[in-house]
Amino acid sequence: MTEMILLPILSLFTLWLLNDYLRTRLNSVEDRYMEHYGKDDWKSSNMELVLQCTPQNDKVLKQRFQNAISRYLDTSEGKASLLYEVARTDGEKLAYETLDFVQFFDLLQPRNGVYFDMSQTGKITVVWSHIQCDGVGIWRTLRPLFDANPPLIPYRKIPPPPPFIPELFALPIALRNSLLRSQLRAPEQARVHKGHVLWRAETFQSLKRRTKIPFNLLSSAKVVENIFQRHPETQALNVGLTVYFPFLKSRNKYGVILARVKRDSMVGIAKQLYKQSKNPIQIWGNCSLQSYTLNRLPKSVFLNVMSYYRKQIDVLISNLPVGKNPITLCSVPTNLACYSPELSLPYYFLLMGTRSEIHVSYSSKFPQRQAFLHSESLNAEAKSFITAD
């Protein structure tokens, strides 16, 4: 009798679970996590993209930037961009509103949306919230303002992977990763230190030809090598590499590969990263499995579990290919840097690449010397407008 009752219940639950998975598998757990904080404190997830020129070009860049923004706001592309969108936090749930009219001076005031800070000489700081979009989203918003630059890697429409199989394939990796804990311990209330440097891309291009390891993993390995040098007591690091998933139905279309890396040379570290990230089905399966599981957790435990996973990572590295040519904004040579004013990890890096240079910026809970990230082999001819604070 008991079996006759339990069997239909189990069957219904299985059908519900399968339907729920198919319905929500392309949702991002990052959106839910961000919204928990954004509803009460929108600024807690703010990011800063710094566009920097030489002090001599300050006035001309800002005037041309103002003119370019004003023209862009009047186009159909500009009206469909994030510049017209603001978040409303006064209701029961976080909501977004598309404004009917926006002019340039509206974007110079802090708001629950993208805005610009032009108060510092030689800098235009684009402030946006990760709640609203990820790094690719803000770059796509601003890309029409920059001078034409053929993409290094064009973004293509990619169909979502098949259901079930990737998650099953990645299950052992997901279980192993769930036990990893971070190695670096920074004070919880430590202030965030920021810095920027330019690396020549030639070295990595040469290594790519020799080793057959992808360019972004070689540059990420250089970052990790520098962190090992900064922390000689550490023999292993948990490295998070962001991966862009264009098929996700969310504002934040990324996942994180978690790799356990032992102290080694740059190439040795790159080989470790490549070994743990070379299978795209496994990468998606791991991210999908973690995202679906976390999204099913009740609110009462969700934030604690997310905090647990956040504290697994010692350094989070994002790579964003910008274009084949040096970066110019309104015909003015421009450096790019991206910072996280509030940081829950020991280190965050963004590497924005062209064919000739990589714009490397970091946010860290550890104070850094000005020589941090500098390397004679990579920077013999590099120039840096932004230095460590």
Side-chain angles (χ1 to χ4, degrees):
M1 185 68 176
T2 304
E3 292 180 355
M4 293 178 63
I5 297 173
L6 289 178
L7 188 59
I9 294 175
L10 184 61
S11 298
L12 287 173
F13 176 74
T14 302
L15 288 173
W16 174 86
L17 189 63
L18 292 175
N19 179 68
D20 183 65
Y21 161 75
L22 292 171
R23 181 176 56 85
T24 64
R25 74 186 188 99
L26 300 182
N27 294 343
S28 169
V29 71
E30 295 295 333
D31 279 12
R32 183 187 180 190
Y33 182 65
M34 297 288 184
E35 286 179 11
H36 273 297
Y37 289 98
K39 178 66 177 64
D40 297 323
D41 185 6
W42 176 263
K43 295 188 295 184
S44 66
S45 297
N46 272 0
M47 301 289 291
E48 297 174 354
L49 178 64
V50 180
L51 320 177
Q52 182 159 332
C53 66
T54 58
Q56 295 85 349
N57 284 330
D58 175 70
K59 289 184 178 179
V60 65
L61 175 63
K62 288 176 179 176
Q63 185 59 58
R64 291 178 183 178
F65 184 75
Q66 176 179 339
N67 295 338
I69 287 284
S70 299
R71 290 193 299 269
Y72 182 52
L73 290 172
D74 287 334
T75 66
S76 57
E77 185 178 8
K79 291 177 180 179
S81 74
L82 293 175
L83 299 182
Y84 271 79
E85 184 181 74
V86 292
R88 300 299 182 192
T89 60
D90 50 357
E92 289 187 11
K93 292 184 177 182
L94 187 67
Y96 293 92
E97 176 185 355
T98 300
L99 302 176
D100 295 325
F101 178 74
V102 176
Q103 57 182 349
F104 175 74
F105 292 102
D106 296 327
L107 303 176
L108 296 181
Q109 305 297 324
R111 62 178 194 155
N112 291 352
V114 182
Y115 68 92
F116 307 116
D117 180 354
M118 300 173 65
S119 60
Q120 293 181 277
T121 301
K123 291 183 182 180
I124 299 173
T125 300
V126 183
V127 182
W128 92 97
S129 175
H130 229 306
I131 306 166
Q132 190 174 14
C133 71
D134 53 27
V136 174
I138 194 65
W139 178 247
R140 284 183 166 177
T141 296
L142 301 175
R143 183 66 189 84
L145 304 172
F146 286 81
D147 301 329
N149 199 338
L152 276 171
I153 301 175
Y155 288 104
R156 311 184 307 273
K157 286 189 175 181
I158 299 175
F164 305 118
I165 296 174
E167 289 83 356
L168 291 173
F169 187 62
L171 187 58
I173 299 296
L175 292 174
R176 184 204 68 182
N177 286 352
S178 67
L179 301 176
L180 295 179
R181 303 305 293 151
S182 62
Q183 304 299 300
L184 300 178
R185 295 288 184 268
E188 287 290 332
Q189 303 304 318
R191 79 177 182 93
V192 177
H193 301 264
K194 299 178 290 186
H196 174 276
V197 70
L198 293 181
W199 283 348
R200 291 180 59 83
E202 181 181 356
T203 301
F204 301 107
Q205 291 163 352
S206 175
L207 284 173
K208 178 185 174 182
R209 289 191 292 269
R210 281 194 355 239
T211 64
K212 309 303 180 184
I213 297 174
F215 185 96
N216 66 308
L217 295 183
L218 289 165
S219 57
S220 296
K222 185 62 184 175
V223 167
V224 177
E225 182 188 45
N226 274 270
I227 296 176
F228 274 123
Q229 292 171 355
R230 170 64 180 80
H231 300 275
E233 76 286 354
T234 301
Q235 299 305 312
L237 291 169
N238 294 342
V239 180
L241 303 175
T242 61
V243 188
Y244 184 66
F245 298 124
F247 48 78
L248 285 180
K249 299 176 182 178
S250 58
R251 290 178 173 270
N252 286 278
K253 299 177 182 291
Y254 70 91
V256 177
I257 302 171
L258 184 59
R260 178 77 162 186
V261 175
K262 295 180 181 179
R263 181 182 290 272
D264 204 337
S265 65
M266 185 185 79
V267 173
I269 293 169
K271 289 178 179 178
Q272 292 181 64
L273 293 176
Y274 180 59
K275 183 178 180 180
Q276 296 177 66
S277 64
K278 63 183 179 181
N279 192 315
I281 294 296
Q282 191 176 70
I283 291 172
W284 163 247
N286 188 27
C287 293
S288 173
L289 188 63
Q290 185 181 90
S291 183
Y292 177 75
T293 304
L294 292 172
N295 265 328
R296 300 279 63 79
L297 293 176
K299 184 178 179 180
S300 58
V301 298
F302 173 74
L303 290 180
N304 288 333
V305 176
M306 281 295 291
S307 177
Y308 172 86
Y309 278 105
R310 281 288 193 275
K311 290 178 179 178
Q312 291 182 300
I313 301 174
D314 293 304
V315 51
L316 181 64
I317 305 173
S318 298
N319 282 269
L320 181 63
V322 175
K324 294 181 179 179
N325 303 324
I327 301 166
T328 57
L329 177 61
C330 305
S331 300
V332 177
T334 306
N335 273 9
L336 300 179
C338 184
Y339 305 119
S340 177
E342 295 192 27
L343 193 64
S344 60
L345 308 166
Y347 285 97
Y348 169 69
F349 288 80
L350 179 64
L351 284 64
M352 307 182 77
T354 68
R355 182 164 284 171
S356 58
E357 293 174 327
I358 307 173
H359 298 237
V360 184
S361 52
Y362 70 84
S363 303
S364 169
K365 284 195 171 185
F366 292 96
Q368 309 298 339
R369 295 181 179 178
Q370 189 154 327
F372 182 61
L373 294 182
H374 283 268
S375 170
E376 293 182 2
S377 62
L378 295 174
N379 292 284
E381 301 176 34
K383 54 188 180 298
S384 178
F385 296 140
I386 307 175
T387 57
D389 60 354

